[in-house]
Amino acid sequence: MFADPPAPQPLQPGETPPSSATAGIPSPDTATAWEFNPDYQRLVMAWRQVLPELDRLTGSLDRAYHLAKSKDVWDAPVSGRYVEDMGEWRTRLSLYRQAILTSISDQAADTPRWVPTNAGAPHAFS
């Protein structure tokens, strides 16, 4: 079993954008406004949508696997083959879960949380 990678963190209450590196009175050339990166927010939302579905799939398969292993449910020679198949499905699902969550986590690590914007400037297609 793998441990889940770190989840992208949503905007926290009271979180502020990075401070400007320049000191003194800002000029129009150096003044920068910041906004929480919409691409990072989409990664947070993707994580929140995917994780419950993966948990649901894992829970359903685990429940069926444990029932199939029980001799109270099925005591036939062929049952061993089905238990082995379900074990392989569980392994595949675990690898699939790890790949999806790692992909989102890695992308979030490479995506800045805050992006500069020009205050009052119009945005195309917004």
Side-chain angles (χ1 to χ4, degrees):
M1 185 60 97
F2 298 103
D4 290 341
Q9 296 301 311
L11 179 63
Q12 301 298 318
E15 183 178 352
T16 59
S19 61
S20 177
T22 59
I25 300 173
S27 70
D29 296 330
T30 61
T32 304
W34 296 89
E35 71 176 336
F36 194 72
N37 191 345
D39 292 335
Y40 190 90
Q41 182 62 33
R42 280 192 281 279
L43 292 169
V44 170
M45 295 308 296
W47 183 280
R48 287 182 175 178
Q49 290 173 346
V50 166
L51 191 61
E53 292 300 319
L54 291 172
D55 287 340
R56 186 182 59 80
L57 287 170
T58 302
S60 296
L61 190 54
D62 285 348
R63 191 169 36 258
Y65 176 75
H66 291 297
L67 284 174
K69 281 179 60 174
S70 169
K71 296 298 181 190
D72 295 337
V73 175
W74 192 6
D75 191 16
V78 74
S79 68
R81 187 175 75 227
Y82 287 107
V83 170
E84 288 175 15
D85 287 347
M86 281 192 232
E88 289 178 22
W89 298 340
R90 290 175 72 210
T91 301
R92 289 180 189 171
L93 181 58
S94 177
L95 292 171
Y96 184 65
R97 173 191 180 106
Q98 186 70 20
I100 291 171
L101 295 180
T102 299
S103 176
I104 294 171
S105 181
D106 288 351
Q107 186 67 35
D110 293 339
T111 304
R113 288 177 58 82
W114 294 91
V115 291
T117 59
N118 293 332
H123 294 275
F125 308 110
S126 61

